[in-house]
Amino acid sequence: MRKILFLKKLRFPNVFILLLIVFISCALLICINFFTIKILSANRAYVNGESHYSKGQKDASRHLITYLYTQDQQQWKLYLEELKVPQGDGLARITLLKAGDNKIARKAFLIGRNHPDDLDDLVWLFDNFKHVSFLAKAIHEWEQGDNLIFELFVIGTQINAKIIHNSLTPTEQRKFLEQIGSISEKLTINERNFSNTLGEGTRKIKDLLIKTNIIFILIIICSVCLYYSIMVKRLITSKKEIEAKNENLILANHELDRFVYSASHDLRSPITSLKGLIKITQLEDDINQIKDYLTLMQQSLVKQDQFISDIIDYSKNKRTQIIMEPVSLKELFEEAISQLMHIENANRIIFTQELLVDEIHSDGLRLKIIISNLISNAIKYADDSKQEMYISIKTSLTDGFHKIEVSDNGIGIKDEFKENIFQMYFGTNKNKGSGLGLYIVKEAVENIKGNISVCSQSTIGSKFTVTIPSFYGI
């Protein structure tokens, strides 16, 4: 019982945890995708910047070579203008390494012909991922390229000085041309390595993103499926509970209809008898006859009192919460016998008790109802034609079950009545009972998870056995 209650208490937290997992997974998935897209966008911006870097370097080399042979100042100006592109990117790299994000680095990126909308991504990726392997390797290639750009700038300065002083010889032209070609070749390899490194990093990020998405999507799907599984089970359980409650309501309504009908009859019948007997008594002068009438009145009152007592027991059994506590069977038997001694022939009955078990852990109210009704029936249906009347009470513990036996040598129960004795308002003799006693006993026994059985022979006697699990409620 306690285990079931504990599991019910766990239901809400389990569902809450599943929803929390789904929420966290979705939030992480959104964040991971957002930052991954941002990284890929920044990688794309660097690749685009590299193309401007490479084009600026190649155009600068071309203009320098043309200037070397034509000595056209316009080519020198074009050389300087194109060389500013890689030089601007180089300045941005140095500034970001030393000072981080600042206006100088952003202006330098603009000189490198990077799009203004890409500046945030370029700076963000450099600041946050400069020590990550793929970007660290790309920055190293970038640094080597900047060193080669500086060499190209030095060569250009030397060429310009020779041309200005008109001291440039054909041999020096060939030497400068070879140097420019060598630098261009190295820069081409360097720029290719830079792009390949970023491309490799992009592919790794893409693969990682796919795997991460698959993992989180599987977590979300499994959590949602488990959540719906729990909810479906709850709905099925709730449906079964509602169906059971509906069946109980139908049964309760049926019992209520019978109860109201029988109660109205059984409550009014003794009153009607009393009214009739009182009228007859008022007209009677014979003292002996009046005594007989008074005896009949007493019997009507006893019957009504018994019926009211049965109704009270019925109500208590239906509405009172089960309370498991130590109960003394000996005390319940003695109390029941003392309270039932007013019944006719009770003082002639020999009561014997063989109590192998006294104190048990059960519901005291239900046990009192059970014992009182069983002993009451045994007294009411005693066979006064027999010279010796007895009621035997036994208790024992067998295979983990407490047994309570109430047997008598009364009038017994006929075979045709045995199947119906536990039904509401069924009685073999309405003058001796209301027909509620055994019905209430059976319900009380079932409330404490027990069983009741009867063994009876007409004119021989009856034995009622109540079996209660000894571990119930512990």
Side-chain angles (χ1 to χ4, degrees), residues 27-108:
L28 288 174
L29 195 59
I30 291 170
C31 291
I32 290 170
N33 277 277
F34 172 78
F35 284 110
T36 303
I37 291 170
K38 193 174 178 66
I39 291 170
L40 294 176
S41 176
N43 269 3
R44 189 263 318 150
Y46 271 106
V47 172
N48 184 60
E50 185 277 329
S51 68
H52 290 298
Y53 185 103
S54 177
K55 188 174 183 301
Q57 172 265 315
K58 286 179 170 53
D59 286 344
S61 298
R62 179 170 55 80
H63 289 304
L64 183 59
I65 292 170
T66 304
Y67 178 58
L68 177 64
Y69 285 98
T70 65
Q71 301 181 6
D72 184 357
Q73 287 297 317
Q74 182 64 29
Q75 293 297 317
W76 172 251
K77 291 179 181 178
L78 291 172
Y79 158 75
L80 292 176
E81 184 67 26
E82 292 299 328
L83 196 62
K84 285 180 181 179
V85 175
Q87 286 176 334
D89 288 334
L91 177 61
R93 177 185 62 80
I94 294 169
T95 306
L96 287 172
L97 283 173
K98 291 181 177 179
D101 185 9
N102 55 42
K103 292 181 180 179
I104 296 174
R106 290 172 179 268
K107 287 180 180 179

Coordinates of all heavy atoms in Angstrom, one line a residue, residues 27-108:
A27 N 16.5 24.2 -25.8 CA 17.3 25.4 -25.6 C 18.7 25.2 -26.0 O 19.3 26.1 -26.7 CB 17.2 25.8 -24.1
L28 N 19.3 24.1 -25.6 CA 20.7 23.8 -26.0 C 20.8 23.6 -27.5 O 21.8 24.1 -28.1 CB 21.2 22.5 -25.3 CG 21.5 22.6 -23.8 CD1 21.8 21.3 -23.2 CD2 22.6 23.6 -23.5
L29 N 19.8 23.0 -28.1 CA 19.9 22.8 -29.6 C 19.8 24.1 -30.3 O 20.5 24.3 -31.3 CB 18.7 21.9 -30.0 CG 18.7 21.3 -31.4 CD1 19.9 20.4 -31.5 CD2 17.5 20.4 -31.6
I30 N 18.9 25.0 -29.8 CA 18.8 26.3 -30.4 C 20.2 27.1 -30.3 O 20.7 27.7 -31.2 CB 17.7 27.1 -29.8 CG1 16.3 26.5 -30.2 CG2 17.7 28.6 -30.2 CD1 15.2 27.1 -29.4
C31 N 20.7 27.0 -29.0 CA 22.0 27.8 -28.8 C 23.1 27.2 -29.6 O 23.9 28.0 -30.2 CB 22.4 27.7 -27.3 SG 21.3 28.6 -26.2
I32 N 23.2 25.9 -29.7 CA 24.3 25.2 -30.5 C 24.1 25.6 -31.9 O 25.1 25.9 -32.6 CB 24.3 23.7 -30.3 CG1 24.7 23.4 -28.8 CG2 25.2 23.0 -31.3 CD1 24.5 21.9 -28.4
N33 N 22.9 25.5 -32.5 CA 22.7 25.8 -33.9 C 23.0 27.3 -34.1 O 23.6 27.6 -35.2 CB 21.3 25.5 -34.3 CG 21.1 24.0 -34.6 OD1 21.4 23.6 -35.7 ND2 20.6 23.2 -33.7
F34 N 22.6 28.2 -33.2 CA 22.9 29.6 -33.4 C 24.4 29.9 -33.4 O 24.9 30.6 -34.4 CB 22.3 30.4 -32.2 CG 22.6 31.8 -32.2 CD1 22.0 32.7 -33.1 CD2 23.6 32.3 -31.3 CE1 22.4 34.1 -33.1 CE2 24.0 33.6 -31.3 CZ 23.4 34.5 -32.2
F35 N 25.1 29.3 -32.5 CA 26.6 29.6 -32.4 C 27.3 28.9 -33.6 O 28.3 29.4 -34.1 CB 27.2 29.2 -31.1 CG 26.8 30.2 -30.0 CD1 26.0 29.8 -29.0 CD2 27.4 31.4 -30.0 CE1 25.7 30.7 -28.0 CE2 27.1 32.3 -29.0 CZ 26.3 32.0 -28.0
T36 N 26.8 27.7 -34.0 CA 27.4 27.0 -35.1 C 27.2 27.8 -36.4 O 28.2 28.0 -37.2 CB 26.8 25.6 -35.2 OG1 27.0 24.9 -34.0 CG2 27.5 24.9 -36.4
I37 N 26.0 28.3 -36.6 CA 25.8 29.2 -37.8 C 26.6 30.4 -37.7 O 27.2 30.9 -38.8 CB 24.3 29.5 -37.8 CG1 23.4 28.3 -38.2 CG2 24.0 30.6 -38.9 CD1 22.0 28.4 -38.0
K38 N 26.8 31.0 -36.5 CA 27.6 32.2 -36.4 C 29.1 31.9 -36.7 O 29.8 32.7 -37.4 CB 27.5 32.7 -34.9 CG 28.1 34.1 -34.7 CD 27.8 34.6 -33.3 CE 28.4 36.0 -33.1 NZ 27.7 37.0 -33.9
I39 N 29.6 30.7 -36.2 CA 30.9 30.3 -36.6 C 31.1 30.0 -38.1 O 32.1 30.5 -38.7 CB 31.3 29.0 -35.8 CG1 31.4 29.3 -34.3 CG2 32.6 28.4 -36.3 CD1 31.5 28.1 -33.4
L40 N 30.1 29.3 -38.7 CA 30.2 29.1 -40.1 C 30.1 30.4 -40.9 O 30.8 30.6 -41.9 CB 29.1 28.2 -40.5 CG 29.1 26.7 -40.0 CD1 27.9 26.0 -40.4 CD2 30.4 26.0 -40.4
S41 N 29.3 31.3 -40.4 CA 29.2 32.6 -41.1 C 30.5 33.4 -41.0 O 31.0 34.0 -42.0 CB 28.1 33.5 -40.5 OG 28.0 34.8 -41.0
A42 N 31.2 33.3 -39.8 CA 32.5 34.0 -39.6 C 33.5 33.3 -40.5 O 34.4 34.0 -41.1 CB 32.9 33.9 -38.1
N43 N 33.5 32.0 -40.6 CA 34.4 31.2 -41.5 C 34.3 31.7 -42.9 O 35.3 31.9 -43.6 CB 34.2 29.7 -41.3 CG 35.1 29.1 -40.3 OD1 35.8 29.8 -39.6 ND2 35.0 27.8 -40.1
R44 N 33.0 31.8 -43.3 CA 32.7 32.3 -44.7 C 33.3 33.7 -44.9 O 33.8 34.0 -45.9 CB 31.2 32.3 -44.9 CG 30.7 32.5 -46.3 CD 30.3 33.9 -46.5 NE 29.6 34.5 -45.4 CZ 29.6 35.8 -45.1 NH1 30.3 36.6 -45.8 NH2 28.9 36.2 -44.1
A45 N 33.2 34.5 -43.8 CA 33.7 35.9 -43.9 C 35.2 35.9 -44.1 O 35.8 36.7 -44.9 CB 33.3 36.7 -42.7
Y46 N 35.9 35.0 -43.4 CA 37.3 34.9 -43.5 C 37.8 34.4 -44.8 O 38.8 34.8 -45.4 CB 37.9 34.0 -42.3 CG 38.2 34.8 -41.1 CD1 37.4 34.7 -40.0 CD2 39.3 35.6 -41.0 CE1 37.7 35.4 -38.8 CE2 39.6 36.4 -39.8 CZ 38.8 36.3 -38.7 OH 39.0 37.0 -37.6
V47 N 37.0 33.4 -45.3 CA 37.3 32.9 -46.7 C 37.1 34.0 -47.7 O 38.0 34.1 -48.6 CB 36.5 31.7 -47.0 CG1 36.6 31.2 -48.4 CG2 36.8 30.5 -46.1
N48 N 36.1 34.8 -47.6 CA 35.8 35.9 -48.5 C 36.9 36.9 -48.3 O 37.4 37.5 -49.3 CB 34.5 36.5 -48.1 CG 34.1 37.6 -49.1 OD1 34.0 37.4 -50.3 ND2 33.9 38.8 -48.6
G49 N 37.4 37.2 -47.1 CA 38.4 38.1 -46.8 C 39.7 37.7 -47.4 O 40.5 38.5 -48.0
E50 N 40.0 36.3 -47.4 CA 41.2 35.8 -48.0 C 41.2 36.0 -49.5 O 42.3 36.2 -50.1 CB 41.3 34.3 -47.6 CG 42.5 33.6 -48.1 CD 42.5 33.1 -49.6 OE1 41.4 32.8 -50.0 OE2 43.5 33.1 -50.2
S51 N 40.0 35.9 -50.1 CA 40.0 36.1 -51.6 C 40.4 37.6 -51.9 O 41.1 37.8 -52.9 CB 38.6 35.8 -52.1 OG 37.6 36.7 -51.6
H52 N 39.9 38.5 -51.1 CA 40.3 39.9 -51.3 C 41.8 40.1 -51.0 O 42.5 40.8 -51.7 CB 39.5 40.8 -50.4 CG 38.1 41.0 -50.8 ND1 37.7 41.5 -52.0 CD2 36.9 40.6 -50.1 CE1 36.3 41.5 -52.0 NE2 35.9 40.9 -50.9
Y53 N 42.3 39.4 -50.0 CA 43.7 39.4 -49.6 C 44.6 38.9 -50.8 O 45.6 39.5 -51.2 CB 43.9 38.5 -48.4 CG 45.3 38.5 -47.7 CD1 45.6 39.2 -46.6 CD2 46.3 37.7 -48.3 CE1 46.8 39.2 -46.0 CE2 47.6 37.7 -47.7 CZ 47.8 38.4 -46.6 OH 49.1 38.4 -46.0
S54 N 44.1 37.7 -51.3 CA 44.9 37.1 -52.4 C 44.8 38.0 -53.7 O 45.9 38.2 -54.3 CB 44.3 35.7 -52.7 OG 44.9 35.1 -53.8
K55 N 43.7 38.5 -54.0 CA 43.5 39.4 -55.2 C 44.3 40.6 -55.0 O 45.0 41.1 -56.0 CB 42.1 39.7 -55.4 CG 41.8 40.4 -56.7 CD 40.3 40.6 -56.9 CE 40.0 41.2 -58.3 NZ 40.7 42.6 -58.5
G56 N 44.3 41.2 -53.8 CA 45.1 42.5 -53.6 C 46.6 42.2 -53.7 O 47.3 43.0 -54.3
Q57 N 47.0 41.1 -53.2 CA 48.4 40.7 -53.3 C 48.9 40.5 -54.8 O 49.9 41.0 -55.2 CB 48.7 39.5 -52.4 CG 50.1 38.9 -52.6 CD 50.1 37.8 -53.6 OE1 49.3 36.9 -53.6 NE2 51.1 37.8 -54.5
K58 N 48.1 39.8 -55.5 CA 48.4 39.5 -56.9 C 48.3 40.7 -57.8 O 49.2 40.9 -58.6 CB 47.4 38.4 -57.4 CG 47.7 37.0 -56.9 CD 46.8 36.0 -57.4 CE 47.2 34.5 -57.1 NZ 47.4 34.3 -55.6
D59 N 47.3 41.6 -57.5 CA 47.3 42.8 -58.3 C 48.4 43.7 -57.9 O 49.0 44.4 -58.8 CB 45.9 43.5 -58.0 CG 44.8 42.9 -58.7 OD1 45.0 42.0 -59.6 OD2 43.6 43.1 -58.3
A60 N 48.8 43.7 -56.7 CA 50.0 44.6 -56.2 C 51.2 44.1 -56.9 O 52.0 44.9 -57.4 CB 50.1 44.5 -54.7
S61 N 51.4 42.7 -57.0 CA 52.6 42.1 -57.6 C 52.6 42.5 -59.1 O 53.6 42.8 -59.7 CB 52.6 40.6 -57.4 OG 52.7 40.3 -56.1
R62 N 51.4 42.4 -59.7 CA 51.3 42.7 -61.2 C 51.7 44.2 -61.4 O 52.5 44.5 -62.4 CB 49.9 42.4 -61.7 CG 49.7 42.7 -63.2 CD 48.4 42.2 -63.6 NE 47.3 42.6 -62.8 CZ 46.7 43.8 -62.9 NH1 47.1 44.7 -63.9 NH2 45.7 44.2 -62.1
H63 N 51.1 45.1 -60.6 CA 51.4 46.5 -60.8 C 52.9 46.8 -60.6 O 53.5 47.7 -61.2 CB 50.6 47.4 -59.9 CG 49.1 47.4 -60.4 ND1 48.7 47.8 -61.6 CD2 48.0 47.1 -59.7 CE1 47.4 47.7 -61.7 NE2 46.9 47.3 -60.5
L64 N 53.5 46.1 -59.6 CA 54.9 46.3 -59.2 C 55.8 45.9 -60.4 O 56.8 46.6 -60.7 CB 55.3 45.6 -57.9 CG 56.7 45.8 -57.4 CD1 57.0 47.3 -57.2 CD2 56.9 45.0 -56.2
I65 N 55.4 44.7 -61.0 CA 56.2 44.2 -62.1 C 56.1 45.2 -63.3 O 57.1 45.5 -64.0 CB 55.8 42.8 -62.5 CG1 56.1 41.8 -61.4 CG2 56.4 42.4 -63.8 CD1 55.5 40.4 -61.6
T66 N 54.9 45.7 -63.6 CA 54.7 46.6 -64.6 C 55.5 47.9 -64.4 O 56.2 48.5 -65.3 CB 53.2 47.0 -64.8 OG1 52.5 45.8 -65.0 CG2 53.0 48.0 -65.9
Y67 N 55.5 48.4 -63.1 CA 56.3 49.6 -62.7 C 57.8 49.3 -62.9 O 58.5 50.2 -63.3 CB 55.9 49.9 -61.3 CG 56.7 51.1 -60.7 CD1 56.6 52.4 -61.4 CD2 57.5 51.0 -59.6 CE1 57.3 53.5 -60.9 CE2 58.2 52.1 -59.1 CZ 58.1 53.3 -59.7 OH 58.8 54.4 -59.2
L68 N 58.2 48.1 -62.6 CA 59.6 47.7 -62.7 C 60.1 47.9 -64.1 O 61.3 48.4 -64.3 CB 59.8 46.3 -62.2 CG 61.2 45.7 -62.3 CD1 62.2 46.4 -61.4 CD2 61.2 44.2 -62.0
Y69 N 59.3 47.6 -65.1 CA 59.8 47.7 -66.5 C 59.3 49.0 -67.2 O 60.0 49.5 -68.1 CB 59.3 46.5 -67.3 CG 60.0 45.3 -66.9 CD1 59.5 44.3 -66.0 CD2 61.3 45.0 -67.5 CE1 60.2 43.2 -65.7 CE2 62.0 43.9 -67.2 CZ 61.5 43.0 -66.3 OH 62.2 41.9 -66.0
T70 N 58.2 49.6 -66.8 CA 57.7 50.8 -67.4 C 58.1 52.1 -66.7 O 58.1 53.2 -67.2 CB 56.2 50.8 -67.6 OG1 55.6 50.8 -66.3 CG2 55.8 49.5 -68.4
Q71 N 58.4 51.9 -65.4 CA 58.6 53.1 -64.5 C 57.5 54.1 -64.5 O 57.7 55.3 -64.3 CB 60.0 53.7 -64.9 CG 61.1 52.7 -64.8 CD 62.5 53.4 -65.1 OE1 62.6 54.6 -65.3 NE2 63.5 52.5 -65.2
D72 N 56.3 53.6 -64.7 CA 55.1 54.5 -64.8 C 54.7 54.7 -63.3 O 54.3 53.8 -62.6 CB 54.0 53.8 -65.6 CG 52.8 54.7 -65.7 OD1 52.8 55.8 -65.2 OD2 51.8 54.2 -66.4
Q73 N 54.6 56.0 -62.9 CA 54.2 56.3 -61.5 C 52.8 55.9 -61.2 O 52.5 55.6 -60.0 CB 54.4 57.8 -61.3 CG 55.9 58.2 -61.2 CD 56.6 57.6 -60.0 OE1 56.0 57.5 -58.9 NE2 57.8 57.1 -60.2
Q74 N 52.0 55.9 -62.2 CA 50.6 55.4 -62.0 C 50.5 54.0 -61.5 O 49.8 53.6 -60.6 CB 49.8 55.6 -63.3 CG 48.3 55.2 -63.1 CD 47.6 56.2 -62.1 OE1 47.9 57.3 -62.0 NE2 46.5 55.6 -61.5
Q75 N 51.4 53.1 -62.1 CA 51.5 51.7 -61.7 C 52.0 51.6 -60.2 O 51.6 50.8 -59.5 CB 52.5 51.0 -62.6 CG 51.9 50.8 -64.0 CD 50.6 50.0 -64.1 OE1 50.5 49.0 -63.4 NE2 49.7 50.5 -64.9
W76 N 52.9 52.5 -59.8 CA 53.4 52.6 -58.4 C 52.3 52.9 -57.5 O 52.1 52.2 -56.4 CB 54.5 53.6 -58.3 CG 55.0 53.8 -56.9 CD1 54.8 54.9 -56.2 CD2 55.7 52.9 -56.1 NE1 55.3 54.8 -54.9 CE2 55.9 53.5 -54.8 CE3 56.2 51.6 -56.2 CZ2 56.5 52.9 -53.8 CZ3 56.8 51.0 -55.2 CH2 57.0 51.7 -53.9
K77 N 51.5 53.9 -57.9 CA 50.3 54.2 -57.0 C 49.3 53.1 -56.9 O 48.8 52.8 -55.8 CB 49.6 55.5 -57.6 CG 50.5 56.7 -57.4 CD 49.7 57.9 -58.0 CE 50.5 59.2 -57.9 NZ 49.9 60.4 -58.5
L78 N 49.1 52.4 -58.1 CA 48.2 51.3 -58.0 C 48.7 50.1 -57.2 O 48.0 49.4 -56.5 CB 47.9 50.8 -59.5 CG 47.1 51.7 -60.4 CD1 47.1 51.2 -61.8 CD2 45.7 51.9 -59.8
Y79 N 50.0 50.0 -57.2 CA 50.7 48.9 -56.4 C 50.5 49.2 -54.9 O 50.1 48.3 -54.2 CB 52.2 48.9 -56.7 CG 53.0 48.3 -55.6 CD1 53.1 46.9 -55.4 CD2 53.8 49.2 -54.8 CE1 53.9 46.4 -54.4 CE2 54.6 48.7 -53.8 CZ 54.6 47.3 -53.6 OH 55.4 46.8 -52.5
L80 N 50.7 50.5 -54.5 CA 50.5 50.8 -53.1 C 49.1 50.7 -52.7 O 48.8 50.2 -51.6 CB 51.0 52.3 -52.9 CG 52.5 52.5 -53.0 CD1 52.8 54.0 -52.9 CD2 53.3 51.7 -52.0
E81 N 48.1 51.0 -53.6 CA 46.7 50.9 -53.3 C 46.3 49.5 -53.1 O 45.6 49.2 -52.1 CB 45.9 51.6 -54.4 CG 44.4 51.6 -54.2 CD 44.1 52.5 -53.0 OE1 44.8 53.5 -52.7 OE2 43.0 52.3 -52.3
E82 N 46.8 48.6 -53.9 CA 46.4 47.2 -53.8 C 47.1 46.5 -52.6 O 46.5 45.6 -52.0 CB 46.7 46.4 -55.1 CG 45.9 46.8 -56.3 CD 44.4 46.5 -56.1 OE1 44.0 45.6 -55.4 OE2 43.6 47.3 -56.6
L83 N 48.3 47.0 -52.3 CA 49.0 46.3 -51.2 C 48.4 46.7 -49.9 O 48.6 45.9 -48.9 CB 50.5 46.8 -51.3 CG 51.5 46.0 -50.4 CD1 51.5 44.5 -50.9 CD2 52.9 46.6 -50.4
K84 N 47.6 47.8 -49.8 CA 46.9 48.1 -48.6 C 45.9 47.1 -48.1 O 45.7 47.0 -46.9 CB 46.2 49.5 -48.8 CG 47.1 50.7 -48.8 CD 46.2 51.9 -49.0 CE 47.1 53.2 -49.0 NZ 46.3 54.4 -49.2
V85 N 45.4 46.3 -49.1 CA 44.4 45.3 -48.7 C 45.0 44.2 -47.8 O 44.5 44.0 -46.7 CB 43.8 44.6 -50.0 CG1 42.8 43.5 -49.6 CG2 43.1 45.7 -50.8
P86 N 46.0 43.5 -48.2 CA 46.6 42.5 -47.3 C 47.3 43.2 -46.0 O 47.3 42.6 -45.0 CB 47.7 41.8 -48.1 CG 48.0 42.7 -49.3 CD 46.7 43.4 -49.5
Q87 N 47.8 44.4 -46.3 CA 48.4 45.1 -45.1 C 47.3 45.5 -44.1 O 47.6 45.4 -42.9 CB 49.1 46.4 -45.6 CG 50.4 46.1 -46.3 CD 51.1 47.4 -46.8 OE1 50.4 48.4 -47.1 NE2 52.4 47.4 -47.0
G88 N 46.1 45.8 -44.5 CA 45.0 46.1 -43.6 C 44.6 44.9 -42.8 O 44.4 45.0 -41.6
D89 N 44.5 43.8 -43.5 CA 44.2 42.5 -42.8 C 45.3 42.2 -41.8 O 45.0 41.7 -40.7 CB 44.0 41.4 -43.8 CG 42.7 41.5 -44.6 OD1 41.8 42.1 -44.0 OD2 42.6 41.0 -45.7
G90 N 46.6 42.4 -42.1 CA 47.7 42.1 -41.2 C 47.6 43.0 -40.0 O 47.9 42.5 -38.9
L91 N 47.3 44.3 -40.2 CA 47.2 45.2 -39.0 C 46.0 44.7 -38.1 O 46.2 44.8 -36.9 CB 46.9 46.6 -39.5 CG 46.7 47.7 -38.5 CD1 47.9 47.8 -37.6 CD2 46.4 49.0 -39.1
A92 N 44.9 44.3 -38.7 CA 43.8 43.8 -37.9 C 44.2 42.6 -37.1 O 43.9 42.5 -35.9 CB 42.6 43.4 -38.8
R93 N 45.0 41.7 -37.7 CA 45.4 40.5 -36.9 C 46.3 40.9 -35.7 O 46.1 40.4 -34.6 CB 46.2 39.6 -37.9 CG 46.8 38.3 -37.2 CD 47.7 37.5 -38.2 NE 48.8 38.3 -38.7 CZ 49.9 38.5 -38.0 NH1 50.1 38.0 -36.8 NH2 50.9 39.2 -38.5
I94 N 47.3 41.7 -36.0 CA 48.2 42.2 -34.9 C 47.4 42.9 -33.8 O 47.7 42.6 -32.6 CB 49.3 43.1 -35.5 CG1 50.2 42.3 -36.4 CG2 50.2 43.7 -34.4 CD1 51.1 43.1 -37.3
T95 N 46.5 43.7 -34.2 CA 45.8 44.5 -33.2 C 44.9 43.6 -32.3 O 44.8 43.7 -31.1 CB 44.9 45.5 -33.9 OG1 45.7 46.4 -34.7 CG2 44.2 46.4 -32.9
L96 N 44.2 42.6 -33.0 CA 43.3 41.7 -32.2 C 44.1 40.8 -31.3 O 43.7 40.5 -30.2 CB 42.5 40.8 -33.2 CG 41.4 41.5 -34.0 CD1 40.8 40.6 -35.1 CD2 40.3 41.9 -33.0
L97 N 45.4 40.4 -31.7 CA 46.2 39.6 -30.8 C 46.6 40.4 -29.6 O 46.7 39.8 -28.5 CB 47.4 39.1 -31.6 CG 47.2 37.9 -32.6 CD1 48.4 37.7 -33.4 CD2 46.8 36.7 -31.8
K98 N 46.9 41.7 -29.7 CA 47.4 42.5 -28.6 C 46.3 43.1 -27.8 O 46.3 43.0 -26.6 CB 48.3 43.6 -29.2 CG 49.6 43.1 -29.8 CD 50.4 44.2 -30.3 CE 51.8 43.7 -30.8 NZ 52.6 44.8 -31.3
A99 N 45.3 43.7 -28.4 CA 44.3 44.5 -27.7 C 42.9 44.0 -27.8 O 42.0 44.5 -27.1 CB 44.3 46.0 -28.2
G100 N 42.7 42.9 -28.6 CA 41.3 42.4 -28.7 C 40.5 43.3 -29.6 O 41.0 44.1 -30.4
D101 N 39.2 43.3 -29.4 CA 38.2 44.0 -30.3 C 38.4 45.5 -30.0 O 38.3 46.0 -28.9 CB 36.8 43.6 -30.0 CG 35.8 44.2 -30.9 OD1 36.2 44.9 -31.8 OD2 34.6 44.1 -30.6
N102 N 38.7 46.3 -31.1 CA 38.7 47.7 -31.0 C 38.5 48.4 -32.3 O 38.3 47.7 -33.4 CB 40.1 48.2 -30.4 CG 41.3 47.6 -31.2 OD1 41.2 47.6 -32.5 ND2 42.3 47.2 -30.5
K103 N 38.4 49.7 -32.3 CA 38.1 50.4 -33.6 C 39.2 50.3 -34.6 O 38.9 50.2 -35.8 CB 37.9 51.9 -33.3 CG 36.6 52.1 -32.4 CD 36.4 53.6 -32.2 CE 35.2 53.9 -31.3 NZ 35.0 55.3 -31.0
I104 N 40.4 50.2 -34.2 CA 41.5 50.1 -35.1 C 41.4 48.8 -35.9 O 41.6 48.8 -37.2 CB 42.9 50.2 -34.4 CG1 43.1 51.5 -33.7 CG2 44.1 49.9 -35.3 CD1 44.3 51.6 -32.8
A105 N 41.1 47.7 -35.2 CA 41.0 46.4 -35.9 C 39.9 46.4 -36.9 O 40.0 45.9 -38.0 CB 40.8 45.3 -34.9
R106 N 38.8 47.0 -36.5 CA 37.6 47.1 -37.5 C 37.9 48.0 -38.7 O 37.5 47.6 -39.8 CB 36.4 47.6 -36.7 CG 35.8 46.6 -35.7 CD 34.8 47.2 -34.8 NE 34.3 46.2 -33.8 CZ 33.2 45.4 -34.0 NH1 32.6 45.5 -35.2 NH2 32.9 44.6 -33.1
K107 N 38.6 49.1 -38.5 CA 39.0 49.9 -39.6 C 40.0 49.2 -40.5 O 39.9 49.3 -41.8 CB 39.6 51.2 -39.1 CG 38.6 52.2 -38.5 CD 39.3 53.5 -38.0 CE 38.3 54.5 -37.4 NZ 38.9 55.7 -36.9
A108 N 40.9 48.4 -39.9 CA 41.8 47.7 -40.7 C 41.2 46.6 -41.5 O 41.5 46.4 -42.7 CB 42.9 47.0 -39.7

